Amino acid sequence: MGIDAHVASFVAEIEAGLAARFAKIDEIAAVNQLKILSAMQDARLGDSHFNDSTGYGYHDEGREVLEKIFAKIFRAEAALVRPQLISGTHALAAALFGNLRPGDTLFSPVGKPYDTLESVIGIRDAAGSLAEFGVKYRQSDLLGDGGFDYEKIRAALADEPKMATIQRSKGYSWRKSFTPSEIRELILFIRQNSPRTIILVDNCYGEFVASDEPVEADLLAGSLIKNPGGGIAPGGGYVVGKAEYVEAAATRLTAPGLGSAVGPTLGMTRTLLQGLFLAPQVVSAALKGAVLAAAVFSKMGFDVNPGVFDARSDIVQAIKLGRPEAVLAFCRGVQAAAPVDSYVTPIAAPMPGYSHGVVMAGGTFVQGSSIELSADAPMREPYIVYFQGGLTAAHSRAGVVFAADEVFKLRT
Ligand SMILES: *Cc1c(COP(=O)(O)O)cnc(C)c1O
């Protein structure tokens, strides 16, 4: 396919040294596979649940079982898993708007949240933001080493903010992604200092990367075109947690008085469940690609985050490429490795919800799906590319090879 033979063997040699690392990833996938299998069995999932519902979607038993399964996996009282949730941002917005009221405060103890949440919260001016509805926002930045600044967090909790939001994944930043046990520690600290604060975890990109989830949170939210959709879900999002808070999110999604009782599945129930069932395997494929990318690009002299042997809590591999041409070359490689739209050249463009131009590579079966092989980068200093996904380990590997080939070409 036009790949330089030297690049191919360079990657193959590096990959040969990663067998033990990959075996660990497979172990976690096995645990998560059983977790999902057992949730499906406990919910007595049956063939009849794949029936379709339309219109209001009253008494949709398939939807009820799907939500029971999600609740079980996240050890939650309730779950809202809906095709009507467009994305992770939408699921998070429903959880926030559903539970916050004018005069309340939202607090982030982990610094600035993901770019699209800036307009939801109103950190960046946006019509309809929480700020416009009189919800205040505060954040406590992370320490220089990426840890939680407990002194500042304690001070911010003194007036008991209504909600706290914790982002598990690094997003478009160079920090570490927090593991479920690190998040647990932070949640316990918040509870000690402000027991009534509702704690939401943005779990995007984190699902099934570890053998546990940050289930101590009051609410968790994420996207079905990332990890938990297994690359099969054609769309959707989820919110899980305490029944009262999940219902408040449902009420925001539908309407007061309707809540979670309505919502047609429009024929998607089977694919959402099948995607969930495959998710541990797909996440493990993506993780192998991420680890390989870390190994290859660090060998090429770039800073990578996380490192090859670091603990991982999301599927995202950040690579500091340092200049815009290298970011574009990397993205060209990933695009050229895609099954769909492989012939197009990714360039930076404005995107709804983002303040900078963003370049996005991803020739995906589901539009914008980033559990499928993809790479994206906000076009700003220090020119970091975020690489993730791959439905099979071989495809994720191909993404690394094609991207490395393009970046090597730039050097010669
Ligand atoms: C992807 C992502 C989101 C939500 O983005 P959508 O594109 O709306 O699904 C939120 N937070 C983090 C950390 C993410 O990675």
Side-chain angles (χ1 to χ4, degrees):
M1 295 173 81
I3 297 295
D4 186 313
H6 292 101
V7 175
S9 59
F10 174 73
V11 174
E13 242 169 66
I14 292 171
E15 190 180 26
L18 295 172
R21 185 72 190 85
F22 285 6
K24 283 263 176 267
I25 291 170
D26 288 333
E27 271 171 36
I28 290 170
V31 170
N32 284 318
Q33 188 68 76
L34 292 184
K35 191 192 290 178
I36 290 168
L37 177 63
S38 120
M40 289 181 171
Q41 293 180 348
D42 282 357
R44 298 182 64 82
L45 176 63
D47 188 54
S48 64
H49 294 130
F50 302 147
N51 288 338
D52 180 3
S53 76
T54 53
Y56 295 105
Y58 287 135
H59 314 298
D60 180 332
E61 288 180 17
R63 186 190 72 215
E64 286 165 15
V65 165
L66 169 68
E67 293 184 337
K68 201 185 266 183
I69 290 167
F70 263 78
K72 172 95 185 163
I73 290 167
F74 291 98
R75 288 192 263 144
E77 289 174 10
L80 182 73
V81 186
R82 301 295 169 103
Q84 288 81 14
L85 288 167
I86 303 307
S87 65
T89 307
H90 189 194
L92 288 157
L96 291 168
F97 274 98
N99 286 284
L100 289 162
R101 294 293 178 272
D104 286 346
T105 297
L106 170 66
F107 170 54
S108 168
V110 296
K112 187 184 83 62
Y114 188 74
D115 296 49
T116 59
L117 270 295
E118 288 183 27
S119 14
V120 172
I121 296 169
I123 300 171
R124 181 155 21 98
D125 268 347
S129 70
L130 285 166
E132 216 181 63
F133 284 87
V135 174
K136 290 168 280 197
Y137 171 74
R138 259 187 314 192
Q139 73 183 42
S140 158
D141 290 330
L142 296 168
L143 294 169
D145 66 358
F148 308 130
D149 190 339
Y150 282 116
E151 279 320 302
K152 287 228 183 73
I153 295 171
R154 192 198 311 276
L157 292 171
D159 58 356
E160 300 189 43
K162 177 71 177 294
M163 267 185 110
T165 179
I166 303 171
Q167 185 179 305
R168 174 174 176 175
S169 173
K170 62 182 85 58
Y172 288 142
S173 74
W174 193 258
R175 69 154 164 94
K176 66 190 238 118
S177 298
F178 302 116
T179 62
S181 58
E182 288 165 333
I183 294 172
R184 184 174 312 126
E185 187 186 293
L186 179 57
I187 289 174
L188 291 178
F189 185 84
I190 295 171
R191 292 249 162 83
Q192 274 163 11
N193 287 277
S194 180
R196 281 197 300 272
T197 297
I198 302 168
I199 303 170
L200 165 68
V201 168
D202 173 355
N203 208 30
C204 283
Y205 280 139
E207 302 89 354
F208 312 127
V209 170
S211 52
D212 55 349
E213 303 289 337
V215 296
E216 294 79 7
D218 296 306
L219 284 168
L220 290 141
S223 165
L224 299 187
I225 61 171
K226 292 181 176 174
N227 307 14
I232 301 291
Y238 76 89
V239 178
V240 297
K242 298 244 167 72
E244 178 191 353
Y245 306 141
V246 172
E247 194 54 36
T251 296
R252 166 69 193 198
L253 172 66
T254 63
L258 304 182
S260 63
V262 296
T265 43
L266 306 166
M268 271 166 64
T269 310
R270 182 183 59 79
T271 42
L272 297 189
L273 285 159
Q274 197 171 359
L276 175 66
F277 187 70
L278 291 172
Q281 191 59 38
V282 173
V283 166
S284 80
L287 280 170
K288 287 174 188 172
V291 168
L292 181 62
V296 166
F297 282 86
S298 58
K299 192 91 176 179
M300 288 167 72
F302 297 105
D303 277 347
V304 298
N305 174 22
V308 182
F309 295 101
D310 292 345
R312 280 176 189 258
S313 190
D314 62 22
I315 61 165
V316 181
Q317 182 60 50
I319 304 165
K320 204 179 273 178
L321 292 169
R323 54 197 182 110
E325 308 83 69
V327 165
L328 292 172
F330 188 103
C331 290
R332 275 199 304 279
V334 170
Q335 191 74 33
V340 182
D341 293 336
S342 61
Y343 47 82
V344 307
T345 305
I347 55 167
M351 299 278 298
Y354 294 87
S355 61
H356 286 74
V358 184
V359 55
M360 292 199 168
T364 54
F365 291 102
V366 171
Q367 187 188 94
S369 167
S370 48
I371 186 62
E372 297 184 52
L373 184 69
S374 50
D376 35 69
M379 283 309 231
R380 63 187 181 214
E381 295 275 358
Y383 296 100
I384 298 165
V385 77
Y386 298 85
F387 171 77
Q388 65 272 318
L391 297 182
T392 67
H395 190 223
S396 193
R397 177 189 195 285
V400 177
V401 174
F402 278 62
D405 190 55
E406 285 291 337
V407 174
F408 266 119
K409 263 194 228 160
L410 209 61
R411 292 174 157 189
T412 50

